[in-house]
Amino acid sequence: MIAAFAGRGDVLIGADYFGMGLSKEPESYLVLESQQQACADMIRAGQAVLADRGVQTNDLFLSGWSEGGFVTMALLEFLQRENLAVKAAATASAPLDLFAGMSGYLNFPRPNDAPWLNSIFVLSAFAYESYYDVPGLARSFFNPKYYDLCSALYSRQLSDLNKIPTDLHRLIRSEYFNPNYFMQSEFGRLVHRNQVYRWVIETPTRNYYGEADEAITVGLGKLAMSYQTGMGNRKVLAISAGSDATHRGTFARAVLGWSNWFKEMGESA
């Protein structure tokens, strides 16, 4: 991001989410509201610093990859609600609907699913327990044998992810593989709330997805465009990063697309 944007003279602002960087709070992994707040606060702080230094800026662009793609769309919704203009937004490999993504991992596993998908369940379960104040949420989700390891991973006391089973049937209690149970569980209801595409998107937006992405399916990557075009809104475009684009490969290829498109949008103003 520094090379692609700051390197050409743009002002680049990046927020640490709660629990990251110097923050002493629990990690807010995929907790929509907290990540909206962290980024909105960072924009305000960045604007204050720029004003203090007499630096003039014009258009605001948003971009993010993976969890950052989710956060980008969440922030876009927040800024639109606050009537703060965004020139354009772009993502890569964004989990636009966490319930859809998790349901796929649980009930429709693919041969190329990443072994680190277990971390998505670990981090989100403990983050939701903390930020939505649901004591015992994570304990009710993971098999007892692995609860302490999962807790240690979330609290940064465990650095070796290999100690957490990659086989989700070993890691997660069996009842959560029943779609109806998962949907009706407290964790399932919270996960279902954390989507970032079911609103009228007014900003030109591009969602890059990879056809060989080991974490985000093509359908999930195209979800925002499908939903928006379903109501006739043409503001959102899903773009393939290629038939061989993996999770990280999608990001690497998307950055150039973001940079060129943002430059075009800025020049057309």
Side-chain angles (χ1 to χ4, degrees):
M1 294 297 93
I2 293 171
F5 296 103
R8 72 179 188 194
D10 293 340
V11 172
L12 181 66
I13 300 174
D16 279 330
Y17 313 138
F18 299 161
M20 306 297 285
L22 299 177
S23 172
K24 302 301 182 184
E25 301 298 324
E27 182 177 348
S28 61
Y29 187 78
L30 293 174
V31 178
L32 187 149
E33 300 88 351
S34 74
Q35 295 183 326
Q36 286 175 323
Q37 182 181 336
C39 292
D41 288 351
M42 188 64 180
I43 290 174
R44 297 186 187 101
Q47 289 172 334
V49 170
L50 294 171
D52 181 68
R53 296 186 177 186
V55 176
Q56 298 293 318
T57 59
N58 40 38
D59 298 318
L60 174 63
F61 298 88
L62 307 180
S63 68
W65 165 61
S66 195
E67 180 187 5
F70 173 93
V71 177
T72 294
M73 297 299 289
L75 177 61
L76 181 62
E77 188 275 334
F78 176 87
L79 296 177
Q80 180 175 309
R81 193 162 15 102
E82 297 292 313
N83 295 310
L84 297 174
V86 177
K87 188 69 174 181
T91 69
S93 298
L96 300 168
D97 187 319
L98 190 56
F99 185 82
M102 284 189 170
S103 294
Y105 306 148
L106 292 172
N107 302 121
F108 306 99
R110 302 173 299 163
N112 69 321
D113 275 351
W116 46 262
L117 293 178
N118 54 3
S119 65
I120 295 177
F121 290 97
V122 173
L123 297 179
S124 59
F126 283 93
Y128 284 22
E129 175 175 323
S130 178
Y131 281 88
Y132 293 116
D133 193 21
V134 187
L137 178 69
R139 190 177 292 278
S140 72
F141 184 69
F142 297 109
N143 281 319
K145 180 178 179 180
Y146 299 107
Y147 173 81
D148 289 339
L149 283 172
C150 292
S151 179
L153 180 69
Y154 177 70
S155 63
R156 299 292 193 274
Q157 302 302 309
L158 175 69
S159 59
D160 185 4
L161 184 59
N162 292 324
K163 292 184 177 181
I164 306 295
T166 58
D167 181 351
L168 298 181
H169 284 274
R170 292 176 58 202
L171 178 65
I172 298 168
R173 293 177 184 265
S174 60
E175 53 265 36
Y176 284 92
F177 292 87
N178 180 320
N180 293 326
Y181 184 92
F182 182 43
M183 179 66 186
Q184 295 169 21
S185 69
E186 186 67 22
F187 186 39
R189 288 196 297 269
L190 290 172
V191 167
H192 195 262
R193 286 172 46 186
N194 280 258
Q195 54 75 29
V196 288
Y197 70 98
R198 293 200 300 267
W199 47 286
V200 179
I201 298 173
E202 298 177 353
T203 299
T205 300
R206 293 186 175 182
N207 299 138
Y208 283 77
Y209 62 92
E211 295 176 42
D213 194 321
E214 65 274 29
I216 306 299
T217 65
V218 170
L220 188 55
K222 298 169 71 173
L223 200 54
M225 182 182 75
S226 299
Y227 183 83
Q228 298 298 317
T229 56
M231 65 175 106
N233 184 7
R234 304 292 175 179
K235 293 284 189 181
V236 180
L237 179 64
I239 300 174
S240 173
S243 60
D244 61 342
T246 62
H247 195 62
R248 289 169 175 79
T250 300
F251 173 61
R253 291 178 179 170
V255 171
L256 180 60
W258 298 349
S259 179
N260 291 339
W261 184 48
F262 288 173
K263 187 172 185 292
E264 293 170 5
M265 294 290 288
E267 290 174 347
S268 66

